[in-house]
Amino acid sequence: MSQASAETATLRTVSAFTPGTAIPHTFEMFLEEIENDTEAPIDIDFIGGPETMPPFQVGNAVSNGVVDMAFVTSAFYTSSLPAAHALNLTRYSPEELRETGRFEQLQEMWREQMNVHYLAYTNYGNRYHLYLNEPISSPELNGLRMRITPVYRAFVEEMGGEAAQTPPGEVYTALERGTVDGYGWPIQGIFDLGWQEHTRYRVDPGFYHVEVGVLVNQDTWDNLTDEQRNYLTEKAIWLEEQNALNEEINAEEERRQAEAGIETIEFEGEERERYLEMAYRVQWERLAEEHAGNAERLREILDSE
């Protein structure tokens, strides 16, 4: 961090997602909002996206102070904060997390274990789906090979799918060659990657919520003035309010997918309930097996009454 003047701090900022794509669109609005505010006590020095820093290094970079602020999903820094991707399982919206004091508990945990201030939770309401090239009639994958991330590996395996962890940049070729039968991805973003060209089905309902956080290095945060911290917090709450845009964006994505020839496989009634119950149950169980202490603490924050 540098002080551009006595009243203004400059934050070196990086994104784990390619600018101009679906996932970072509200974060880019946030950057623009600050840039256009002539009285802002904060300047943003936006370095760039994955072309400037590999996505899985972004968490460490903001933790260690290589950058001051980062836009990154928790699934990319679980080596620094085990079970961080439990954030995808929240039963509370960011607004509800703040109103109930749970957001402060998350901030305390991120500060203790990662030396960052968790500023904002974006992409809530953008749910994950399974996309397939073979039809299924029930929540069973029966050996289908699925491209996964740690966020939904346990769910895919519970349904009998074979998990294949492939970088996003290699998925198009894997679909084209038939080396995977499908993948998990949010409702938003497959057109950015061209995957619709090799996708025949989307499974509904969606499950979990995408989580991409805005993290500020803790030392940087502590060195800001009260005015600067308050300003960023106000803008963070504004940014989280933009999650409401997802309902309309999701509907448009569903329309585009249908237009591209992607058919919907929709589970209803008891099958729908079983599908969703399984999704949450097996992921919490997997997190508890692998990272008991953090999983228990996060479940108390994100999933308790």
Side-chain angles (χ1 to χ4, degrees):
M1 179 184 73
S2 63
Q3 290 287 344
S5 70
E7 297 83 21
T8 307
T10 300
L11 304 185
R12 283 171 48 83
T13 301
V14 70
S15 172
F17 295 88
T18 302
T21 58
I23 297 296
H25 76 279
T26 58
F27 179 64
E28 289 161 10
M29 292 166 60
F30 165 82
L31 298 181
E32 190 175 338
E33 181 84 359
I34 294 173
E35 183 182 355
N36 292 340
D37 182 356
T38 56
E39 298 182 0
I42 295 291
D43 279 336
I44 305 295
D45 176 14
F46 183 63
I47 302 165
E51 75 283 359
T52 61
M53 181 179 294
F56 283 88
Q57 292 180 17
V58 170
N60 279 336
V62 69
S63 177
N64 296 329
V66 174
V67 296
D68 298 305
M69 187 163 70
F71 181 71
V72 59
T73 179
S74 51
F76 287 179
Y77 55 78
T78 53
S79 59
S80 300
L81 202 161
H85 52 305
L87 288 172
N88 299 108
L89 306 179
T90 179
R91 62 190 291 179
Y92 301 102
S93 68
E95 181 182 16
E96 291 166 334
L97 288 170
R98 288 184 186 274
E99 288 174 351
T100 56
R102 296 168 189 268
F103 202 86
E104 290 179 0
Q105 295 175 53
L106 289 174
Q107 288 177 322
E108 180 182 357
M109 192 170 174
W110 263 244
R111 181 173 64 249
E112 289 173 359
Q113 297 192 26
M114 207 174 152
N115 190 44
V116 295
H117 179 75
Y118 191 102
L119 183 66
Y121 180 150
T122 79
N123 276 268
Y124 180 87
N126 181 10
R127 291 187 178 272
Y128 288 94
H129 289 259
L130 297 182
Y131 296 86
L132 304 170
N133 283 322
E134 299 288 339
I136 58 174
S137 57
S138 65
E140 296 174 1
L141 292 171
N142 299 318
L144 292 179
R145 185 169 170 81
M146 301 290 294
R147 185 268 175 182
I148 55 85
T149 74
V151 173
Y152 39 83
R153 173 191 281 273
F155 185 33
V156 163
E157 291 177 342
E158 182 74 7
M159 286 187 287
E162 181 186 344
Q165 191 152 329
T166 308
E170 298 175 16
V171 175
Y172 182 93
T173 301
L175 290 166
E176 188 176 39
R177 294 177 178 171
T179 55
V180 296
D181 301 302
Y183 55 92
W185 199 257
I187 188 66
Q188 299 176 27
I190 70 167
F191 290 92
D192 292 332
L193 300 156
W195 296 354
Q196 80 284 355
E197 296 175 12
H198 299 287
T199 302
R200 294 180 61 192
Y201 305 99
R202 184 189 71 247
V203 179
D204 285 359
F207 55 94
Y208 310 160
H209 291 274
V210 176
E211 175 276 337
V212 190
V214 181
L215 309 183
V216 180
N217 174 267
Q218 190 65 47
D219 300 318
T220 296
W221 182 258
D222 291 342
N223 286 327
L224 296 175
T225 65
D226 288 344
E227 179 195 9
Q228 290 162 345
R229 285 192 292 266
N230 290 339
Y231 179 84
L232 280 173
T233 300
E234 288 171 13
K235 292 302 180 186
I237 292 170
W238 176 88
L239 172 57
E240 289 174 349
E241 289 170 352
Q242 308 316 305
N243 288 327
L245 298 172
N246 281 322
E247 186 174 352
E248 186 176 331
I249 294 168
N250 294 347
E252 174 61 14
E253 286 291 312
E254 289 175 5
R255 186 198 66 76
R256 287 183 71 195
Q257 289 180 19
E259 196 173 75
I262 297 173
E263 298 178 40
T264 303
I265 298 170
E266 183 160 11
F267 298 136
E268 297 178 315
E270 288 184 5
E271 270 199 336
R272 176 189 177 93
E273 290 179 20
R274 179 164 73 91
Y275 182 72
L276 291 174
E277 185 276 333
M278 186 196 311
Y280 285 84
R281 173 177 51 79
V282 300
Q283 181 66 349
W284 279 120
E285 288 173 354
R286 178 68 60 88
L287 291 171
E289 288 170 11
E290 295 177 349
H291 314 290
N294 274 3
E296 182 179 358
R297 188 173 174 185
L298 283 163
R299 189 160 196 178
E300 181 65 29
I301 296 170
L302 300 168
D303 194 48
S304 67
E305 294 289 349

Short mmCIF file of all heavy atoms in Angstrom, two decimals, residues 82 107 201 260 271 276 298:
data_model
loop_
_atom_site.label_atom_id
_atom_site.label_comp_id
_atom_site.label_asym_id
_atom_site.label_seq_id
_atom_site.Cartn_x
_atom_site.Cartn_y
_atom_site.Cartn_z
N PRO A 82 -7.81 -24.09 5.63
CA PRO A 82 -8.53 -25.34 5.34
C PRO A 82 -10.03 -25.21 5.57
O PRO A 82 -10.47 -24.58 6.53
CB PRO A 82 -7.90 -26.33 6.33
CG PRO A 82 -6.54 -25.78 6.60
CD PRO A 82 -6.70 -24.29 6.57
N GLN A 107 -14.81 -12.90 9.65
CA GLN A 107 -13.67 -11.98 9.55
C GLN A 107 -12.60 -12.31 10.59
O GLN A 107 -11.40 -12.27 10.29
CB GLN A 107 -14.15 -10.54 9.71
CG GLN A 107 -14.94 -10.03 8.51
CD GLN A 107 -15.48 -8.63 8.71
OE1 GLN A 107 -15.90 -8.27 9.81
NE2 GLN A 107 -15.47 -7.84 7.65
N TYR A 201 -26.81 -31.23 -21.67
CA TYR A 201 -27.83 -31.18 -20.61
C TYR A 201 -27.33 -30.35 -19.43
O TYR A 201 -26.13 -30.34 -19.11
CB TYR A 201 -28.16 -32.60 -20.09
CG TYR A 201 -28.58 -33.57 -21.15
CD1 TYR A 201 -27.67 -34.48 -21.69
CD2 TYR A 201 -29.90 -33.59 -21.62
CE1 TYR A 201 -28.06 -35.37 -22.68
CE2 TYR A 201 -30.30 -34.48 -22.60
CZ TYR A 201 -29.37 -35.38 -23.14
OH TYR A 201 -29.75 -36.26 -24.10
N ALA A 260 -29.02 -22.37 -27.08
CA ALA A 260 -27.82 -23.05 -27.58
C ALA A 260 -28.03 -24.56 -27.69
O ALA A 260 -27.11 -25.29 -28.08
CB ALA A 260 -26.63 -22.75 -26.68
N GLU A 271 -37.38 -36.42 -5.30
CA GLU A 271 -36.05 -36.53 -5.90
C GLU A 271 -35.27 -35.22 -5.77
O GLU A 271 -34.07 -35.23 -5.52
CB GLU A 271 -36.14 -36.94 -7.37
CG GLU A 271 -36.12 -38.44 -7.55
CD GLU A 271 -35.77 -38.86 -8.96
OE1 GLU A 271 -35.96 -38.05 -9.89
OE2 GLU A 271 -35.31 -40.01 -9.12
N LEU A 276 -30.80 -32.28 -3.21
CA LEU A 276 -30.27 -31.13 -2.47
C LEU A 276 -29.78 -31.54 -1.09
O LEU A 276 -28.73 -31.07 -0.63
CB LEU A 276 -31.33 -30.03 -2.36
CG LEU A 276 -31.67 -29.33 -3.68
CD1 LEU A 276 -32.83 -28.36 -3.49
CD2 LEU A 276 -30.46 -28.60 -4.26
N LEU A 298 -16.90 -23.40 11.08
CA LEU A 298 -17.61 -22.78 9.97
C LEU A 298 -19.07 -23.23 9.91
O LEU A 298 -19.95 -22.43 9.57
CB LEU A 298 -16.89 -23.11 8.64
CG LEU A 298 -15.61 -22.31 8.40
CD1 LEU A 298 -14.76 -22.94 7.34
CD2 LEU A 298 -15.95 -20.86 8.04
#
